[in-house]
Amino acid sequence: MRKFKLSTSILLELADTFHARFTEDLDLFSGFDKDLNQEFADQLQNSIDTALTLGNDTTNRSKLNGKTITVNEAMSACNLFHKNLAYWIIKAFNDYTAVQQQFGIGNMSKVNKSQAKMILFMENLVETIKEYRTTLEAAGTPAALLDRAAIHADNLRTANIDQEQQKGSRVVDTAERVAILNAIYDQLRKISTVASLLFTEQPEKNKLYQIPYTKSTSTTTNEEE
């Protein structure tokens, strides 16, 4: 959870400014609190550098979108494959409705709506084709078409795994970014609090160390640019 209401870009810009001012007034801060020293300043700078290196969630979103497109393409390929196969299934088993149902005839509208259902269906379809392959080939079904079932099943399963892994990576990366940004915010609050005590008689100087107020809220790990 983000501790701050500022956007990431504003927080990092503010952190750069605070670091520069804090370094200039380092003797005053360390004189008030020995922990507010050069090491504290270096830690803040390192956190800023790390946050800038990690960037924002745009790259992860783009990667996930790419994985999703691949999954959708694999789903479409499986659906098209089944449509082509359906002709031969009906030809080979015209009088056997139960067998047709084993091949998913008349049930694809439900399967098409779910990656999980399509993955399971394709895995089962491969086995069903093995069971009835002789009859299908006797009806003229191209062997190459029957062989493609396993290829489409593997492609879809791989695409789905890649997509889920990217989702997991995005969650982990986001958590890491939020942790670093929260650490930066905590340091800025520390500086701001001490500055309000150091510069009580210097309101303009004190103002330079105040964190701007914003009405926007951010209570989840979703990042704001």
Side-chain angles (χ1 to χ4, degrees):
M1 179 183 296
R2 291 161 65 110
K3 295 181 178 181
F4 52 94
K5 299 178 181 179
L6 302 170
S7 67
T8 298
S9 57
I10 294 297
L11 178 73
L12 293 178
E13 181 182 32
L14 186 66
D16 267 337
T17 303
F18 265 46
H19 180 268
R21 290 170 182 161
F22 176 77
T23 301
E24 292 176 358
D25 296 324
L26 187 60
D27 290 342
L28 291 174
F29 280 94
S30 59
F32 180 89
D33 184 343
K34 63 181 179 61
D35 290 335
L36 297 177
N37 50 27
Q38 185 61 51
E39 183 179 350
F40 182 91
D42 292 343
Q43 184 181 18
L44 176 59
Q45 185 62 65
N46 288 337
S47 295
I48 295 171
D49 292 343
T50 300
L52 290 172
T53 299
L54 290 174
N56 52 44
D57 196 38
T58 301
T59 299
N60 268 333
R61 285 201 302 266
S62 297
K63 290 181 179 179
L64 181 56
N65 287 340
K67 302 295 185 183
T68 300
I69 289 173
T70 301
V71 169
N72 290 338
E73 290 175 345
M75 289 279 286
S76 296
C78 287
N79 187 46
L80 179 59
F81 166 76
H82 186 265
K83 285 182 178 179
N84 289 328
L85 183 63
Y87 170 84
W88 299 103
I89 294 169
I90 294 172
K91 179 181 178 181
F93 304 102
N94 187 52
D95 297 323
Y96 299 92
T97 303
V99 176
Q100 291 183 26
Q101 290 177 346
Q102 281 185 258
F103 282 96
I105 300 300
N107 196 42
M108 290 304 293
S109 59
K110 296 179 181 178
V111 175
N112 286 332
K113 297 177 182 179
S114 168
Q115 290 172 213
K117 288 182 179 179
M118 180 65 87
I119 291 171
L120 181 59
F121 171 77
M122 289 301 298
E123 294 293 334
N124 289 334
L125 182 60
V126 171
E127 298 304 315
T128 303
I129 288 175
K130 289 179 181 178
E131 181 179 354
Y132 294 102
R133 186 175 184 116
T134 300
T135 305
L136 286 167
E137 289 184 338
T141 311
L145 178 64
L146 298 175
D147 291 340
R148 283 206 297 273
I151 296 173
H152 288 303
D154 288 343
N155 288 344
L156 177 58
R157 189 174 181 185
T158 299
N160 185 70
I161 290 172
D162 288 345
Q163 183 191 47
E164 293 304 311
Q165 287 181 327
Q166 185 59 45
K167 288 179 182 178
S169 296
R170 184 185 178 196
V171 171
V172 171
D173 291 347
T174 299
E176 182 181 357
R177 273 191 293 272
V178 170
I180 292 173
L181 294 172
N182 282 343
I184 291 172
Y185 179 68
D186 286 339
Q187 286 187 284
L188 298 189
R189 287 185 60 194
K190 182 72 171 178
I191 293 172
S192 182
T193 298
V194 173
S196 66
L197 299 174
L198 286 175
F199 307 116
T200 303
E201 304 301 325
Q202 299 174 263
E204 293 304 318
K205 180 82 170 180
N206 181 21
K207 187 176 180 180
L208 296 176
Y209 283 101
Q210 298 311 302
I211 299 174
Y213 172 77
T214 177
K215 292 182 179 181
S216 65
T217 58
S218 182
T219 58
T220 70
T221 57
N222 292 332
E223 294 184 276
E224 297 179 12
E225 309 305 332

